[in-house]
Amino acid sequence: MSESNTPNKTSYAIGIDLGTTFSCVGSMFNGNIEIITNADGERTTPSVVCFDENNNVVVGTAAKNMFGSDMSSVVFDAKRMIGRSYNDPKIQESLKRWPFKVVKYNHQARKEDDSNVDSNDNIAIKVTKDGVTHYYAPIEISARVLMYLKKAAEMKLGVTVDSAVVTVPAYFGEPQRDSTKAAATIAGFNPDRVRLLAEPTAAALAYGHVQTQSNAKYAIKEDVLVFDLGGGTFDVSVLDFEFNSVEGSLGIARATDGDTFLGGQDFDNLLINYCIAEFLKKNATVNEKDLKENSILRLRAECTRVKAVLSSSISSSIYVPCFHAVEDLVIPVTRTRFEMLCDDLFKRCMERVKGCLLQYKGVPRTEYSTDGSKLLLNQNLERTLEEAKNSIRKVILVGGSSRIPKIKSMLTDYFGAQKVIEPVNADEAVAYGAAYQAAAIYSDALAGGSSLLLIDCIPLDLSIETAGGVSTVLIERNSSIPISKTETFTTYQNNQTAVTINIFEGNRTMCADNKRIGSFNLDGIIPAPAGVPKIEVTFEVDHNGVLKVTAKDTQTGKNGWTEVANTQSRLSEEEIKRMTESAREHEKIDEEIKEKIGKKNTFEQTLHSVSSAMEKSNIPQEQKENVMNAVRDHEAWLAQINGTDFSLEELENRSNDLRTMMAESMKGSGMEGMDMGAAAGG
């Protein structure tokens, strides 16, 4: 094969696992999928953003380490807020635990919102510094994390990256998916070259890629269940795979279930509540309201640490010195105690697993569940569930919380020990699969039998409201995407000249029990008796799971449409554009600050070098004293600088003056060759 026909084995499109607690980025490099380390040399990045005293943005471990200095400016859990309403009960519950300020906010009017109007994306994080208040949408926080990972990838690949596959929980709804894509746009990715991918599907891709490479010349069929329990969200999916390294492999997502508010943080919260209750028992004079936020944060960090310890040890101890005044918190915890505390959450995970298996066999949720989680099973459903369980050949563990021994033992007891596997690092599997998908979609790094096609599905029924508030489904949950469906409807009142198309997401029969995600009017209908006009409604879901709805009056040809991304309850295009420009501006400022600090540090090092050189030189004392006086003057100037509050021009002038003085002083001293390049500030 000639060189021109040889595929490029490096992909300049990246895969990002945008997690609740940690995020990860990968790419295909020299023919292999690699996880890319960040600027701190870490393979995963805390999904934490901090705004310092100059309103500069700090991301990752450095931001997490700033909890102790100003916790109100350190923001996390953006993934749990994105695409949601401030009035969401789960958001209201979380407000009690977040140390930063979260408010109801009108992003279009740019002010806090005290109205009773409810909408998605009406949340803002309120950060006040030196009397100046800034408001940040959750998608801006996610965008900062994406931007940080994008930079890490660009350093590795040596090019500007504008294409990415970003993962989302399989059970993310339309508003959350669209907000995630908006965050990628703000981060600097080309919106036309961003693909969203369900997290368990990405993990299945990682598994499928490994299997495709290891199976040569014959096909293998497997039904795979992906159990993805991360820091903040839980997903479970069933996929059909056919592996073939000659013709290429195929995977189809058949069913999905999950909970976007169930993850490692919820285990932490139960452990925290237990510790506080035990501490208050031992210290009867202390009221829970007296406990400081900083103490709770230190307790959270310790509980997270001990939770991990209990995965390998049967007991440990939670210790927080000076938890309240001079009183230390010391609580012994066994693995058994931890499992008892979290028992309800573990059971919720297994309920979702069984629900996903029933859906895989085509059982509607309404037949086995009344509240969305608790299973109500009769003898026939038990038999169907057993058949579904037996058809699963592999259970893939993904997400840091899947390492909890109780999780593994529950799945092992249910499916069998030989089926439960961890084929790729649990923390990196999703990013690995996303990187593979990015290479497949946006590059020529894959060829021939190494290819793996994976078809995703939508998580919830998509419907419109019809007479009596009934939710009439156009696209059923677990349908493969992309997909388009058209149905014909009519009017239900005489002489109707307009209809309102209300769009819902959810699996219940009545619209009141589902979530409205969009609405638009179709006007200009010719007056006629009820039932005569014919209105074609089309639902079209793209590769990202984003929905577009069109309606057309077949008699007049009049039509209307909405992309759920553009409904009034969401951030406007103008607002997203403003956030994008703000992110670019902050990025520019951050680079300028980095440059100034670098040149300042270099100049400071040069002054030390000059001082050492003067001590060893044999130049006349008078010249030596002149140089040292100049050095002391420069050191005094540096000492009075506050952070980056100085002029680069003045720094460069001082550097040039020092260079000139040193050059003159060194003449005839045998030190003319001293490197003064650093003295010029770079």
Side-chain angles (χ1 to χ4, degrees):
M1 181 181 290
S2 67
E3 184 176 337
S4 61
N5 292 326
T6 302
N8 178 13
K9 291 297 184 181
T10 295
S11 167
Y12 299 124
I14 61 176
I16 296 178
D17 172 12
L18 181 61
T20 307
T21 53
F22 285 91
S23 296
C24 188
V25 60
S27 180
M28 177 164 280
F29 194 77
N30 292 333
N32 298 309
I33 301 296
E34 291 190 16
I35 298 302
I36 298 171
T37 56
N38 62 22
D40 297 321
E42 302 163 330
R43 293 172 70 87
T44 59
T45 297
S47 302
V48 181
V49 174
C50 178
F51 302 91
D52 68 14
E53 62 276 2
N54 297 316
N55 200 37
N56 298 316
V57 181
V58 182
V59 179
T61 300
K64 192 174 181 179
N65 291 340
M66 296 176 79
F67 271 129
S69 58
D70 185 4
M71 67 188 73
S72 66
S73 300
V74 180
V75 183
F76 55 93
D77 267 5
K79 186 173 178 177
R80 285 192 159 183
M81 292 180 260
I82 201 165
R84 288 187 179 272
S85 162
Y86 180 81
N87 295 331
D88 187 313
K90 292 180 177 178
I91 295 295
Q92 291 298 306
E93 179 64 25
S94 297
L95 292 176
K96 303 171 186 176
R97 297 192 301 269
W98 288 327
F100 46 87
K101 183 73 173 175
V102 176
V103 298
K104 187 177 182 183
Y105 193 75
N106 185 323
H107 287 279
Q108 274 106 14
R110 296 198 198 178
K111 64 178 183 180
E112 292 190 36
D113 186 0
D114 57 1
S115 72
N116 293 323
V117 177
D118 194 20
S119 65
N120 297 316
D121 286 321
N122 63 347
I123 298 173
I125 296 93
K126 183 178 181 179
V127 179
T128 301
K129 291 285 189 180
D130 297 327
V132 179
T133 299
H134 299 270
Y135 295 91
Y136 300 97
I139 68 170
E140 291 183 272
I141 305 302
S142 292
R144 299 295 183 186
V145 177
L146 289 170
M147 189 182 298
Y148 183 80
L149 298 174
K150 180 175 182 285
K151 281 186 178 180
E154 289 173 342
M155 288 293 294
K156 168 75 173 179
L157 298 170
V159 297
T160 299
V161 173
D162 71 346
S163 308
V165 169
V166 180
T167 62
V168 294
Y171 225 59
F172 252 18
E174 288 285 333
Q176 294 160 302
R177 287 172 179 266
D178 182 64
S179 293
T180 302
K181 190 170 183 185
T185 301
I186 293 169
F189 291 102
N190 182 339
D192 295 328
R193 294 179 65 82
V194 173
R195 178 76 62 85
L196 301 183
L197 182 65
E199 288 163 4
T201 306
L205 266 171
Y207 170 71
H209 179 231
V210 174
Q211 290 295 103
T212 299
Q213 290 180 318
S214 62
N215 292 304
K217 297 184 179 180
Y218 59 91
I220 294 178
K221 292 184 178 181
E222 283 186 344
D223 293 346
V224 173
L225 183 140
V226 180
F227 183 98
D228 182 1
L229 185 60
T233 60
F234 170 57
D235 283 314
V236 56
S237 291
V238 174
L239 302 98
D240 288 344
F241 272 109
E242 182 172 331
F243 302 111
N244 190 314
S245 61
V246 176
E247 299 177 2
S249 301
L250 175 67
I252 302 176
R254 296 297 190 187
T256 188
D257 209 326
D259 189 331
T260 56
F261 255 78
L262 174 57
Q265 289 189 22
D266 300 290
F267 302 128
D268 295 345
N269 291 337
L270 291 173
L271 201 50
I272 290 167
N273 293 341
Y274 170 72
C275 290
I276 291 175
E278 291 297 300
F279 179 82
L280 295 178
K281 281 181 189 177
K282 297 176 183 177
N283 300 271
T285 60
V286 180
N287 191 298
E288 186 171 353
K289 294 180 180 178
D290 298 330
L291 301 177
K292 304 294 184 183
E293 283 188 346
N294 186 52
S295 295
I296 302 298
L297 276 176
R298 289 189 293 129
L299 174 59
R300 176 176 292 278
E302 179 69 354
C303 286
T304 301
R305 183 191 70 82
V306 169
K307 179 186 67 175
V309 169
L310 291 174
S311 290
S312 55
S313 302
I314 61 172
S315 66
S316 186
S317 185
I318 295 172
Y319 170 60
V320 182
C322 299
F323 181 67
H324 177 70
V326 296
E327 295 294 332
D328 298 341
L329 181 147
V330 184
I331 309 291
V333 182
T334 63
R335 182 186 293 176
T336 301
R337 169 63 65 181
F338 173 71
E339 291 175 353
M340 288 174 59
L341 291 171
C342 302
D343 188 59
D344 284 345
L345 296 184
F346 294 145
K347 287 178 178 176
R348 276 171 60 186
C349 289
M350 289 306 297
E351 293 285 285
R352 292 299 171 103
V353 168
K354 294 174 182 177
C356 188
L357 289 172
L358 288 172
Q359 293 163 39
Y360 177 54
K361 289 299 183 181
V363 179
R365 177 183 284 271
T366 51
E367 289 190 22
Y368 64 82
S369 175
T370 56
D371 65 357
S373 60
K374 199 75 174 176
L375 268 63
L376 305 173
L377 303 176
N378 56 35
Q379 191 173 4
N380 288 335
L381 289 176
E382 290 280 11
R383 191 180 304 114
T384 302
L385 187 58
E386 187 69 15
E387 291 174 2
K389 181 188 76 172
N390 292 336
S391 70
I392 299 298
R393 290 290 166 264
K394 291 288 186 296
V395 177
I396 302 171
L397 297 181
V398 181
S401 297
S402 69
R403 293 192 176 97
I404 295 173
K406 182 65 175 179
I407 293 291
K408 289 185 177 180
S409 68
M410 286 192 310
L411 292 170
T412 297
D413 291 344
Y414 190 69
F415 288 99
Q418 73 281 2
K419 292 184 179 181
V420 180
I421 62 172
E422 191 177 318
V424 182
N425 184 310
D427 296 320
E428 300 172 359
V430 172
Y432 186 106
Y436 180 90
Q437 183 81 327
I441 296 171
Y442 297 121
S443 78
D444 60 352
L446 295 169
S450 66
S451 65
L452 167 63
L453 173 64
L454 202 148
I455 301 172
D456 212 342
C457 66
I458 61 172
L460 298 165
D461 288 341
L462 298 173
S463 59
I464 67 168
E465 182 178 16
T466 53
V470 174
S471 185
T472 300
V473 177
L474 269 78
I475 297 181
E476 295 182 352
R477 64 174 299 158
N478 298 323
S479 297
S480 297
I481 59 174
I483 188 172
S484 178
K485 287 285 186 70
T486 299
E487 297 284 350
T488 301
F489 298 88
T490 187
T491 55
Y492 65 92
Q493 291 181 349
N494 291 329
N495 301 317
Q496 225 175 303
T497 60
V499 293
T500 299
I501 308 294
N502 288 318
I503 307 154
F504 287 84
E505 182 178 56
N507 307 311
R508 304 291 292 278
T509 302
M510 303 304 293
C511 290
D513 298 318
N514 293 324
K515 183 174 183 178
R516 191 173 81 158
I517 56 174
S519 180
F520 67 97
N521 290 326
L522 177 62
D523 302 312
I525 299 172
I526 297 174
V532 172
K534 303 299 179 190
I535 300 164
E536 290 183 347
V537 177
T538 300
F539 277 29
E540 184 177 1
V541 181
D542 66 14
H543 287 93
N544 294 309
V546 175
L547 171 67
K548 180 179 179 180
V549 180
T550 58
K552 178 182 178 182
D553 179 358
T554 58
Q555 183 176 2
T556 65
K558 293 230 174 191
N559 61 67
W561 69 278
T562 184
E563 187 171 307
V564 171
N566 295 325
T567 58
Q568 280 190 339
S569 62
R570 313 291 282 283
L571 295 172
S572 66
E573 290 296 323
E574 292 75 16
E575 191 64 14
I576 292 174
K577 182 179 179 182
R578 182 194 68 76
M579 292 177 181
T580 304
E581 291 171 350
S582 174
R584 296 285 79 68
E585 185 61 29
H586 271 289
E587 186 176 21
K588 181 181 177 183
I589 292 171
D590 292 345
E591 289 299 322
E592 290 174 352
I593 290 171
K594 184 178 178 181
E595 180 188 10
K596 289 183 79 173
I597 290 174
K599 290 191 173 183
K600 175 187 170 186
N601 291 341
T602 301
F603 185 51
E604 194 168 15
Q605 288 294 322
T606 301
L607 292 176
H608 292 315
S609 298
V610 170
S611 295
S612 298
M614 285 299 99
E615 290 179 7
K616 301 174 184 177
S617 72
N618 57 3
I619 64 174
Q621 187 62 32
E622 183 178 353
Q623 287 180 274
K624 185 182 293 187
E625 195 59 38
N626 287 340
V627 172
M628 289 307 299
N629 285 338
V631 168
R632 284 189 283 270
D633 174 66
H634 294 316
E635 288 176 339
W637 177 74
L638 285 172
Q640 57 84 34
I641 289 175
N642 180 20
T644 57
D645 187 19
F646 65 91
S647 163
L648 266 181
E649 183 180 2
E650 181 174 1
L651 176 65
E652 289 168 358
N653 288 338
R654 286 177 175 272
S655 298
N656 291 333
D657 290 345
L658 184 62
R659 178 195 292 273
T660 301
M661 177 176 284
M662 284 297 294
E664 292 176 354
S665 299
M666 294 299 180
K667 286 180 181 177
S669 67
M671 299 180 67
E672 292 91 336
M674 179 181 176
D675 181 14
M676 285 297 295

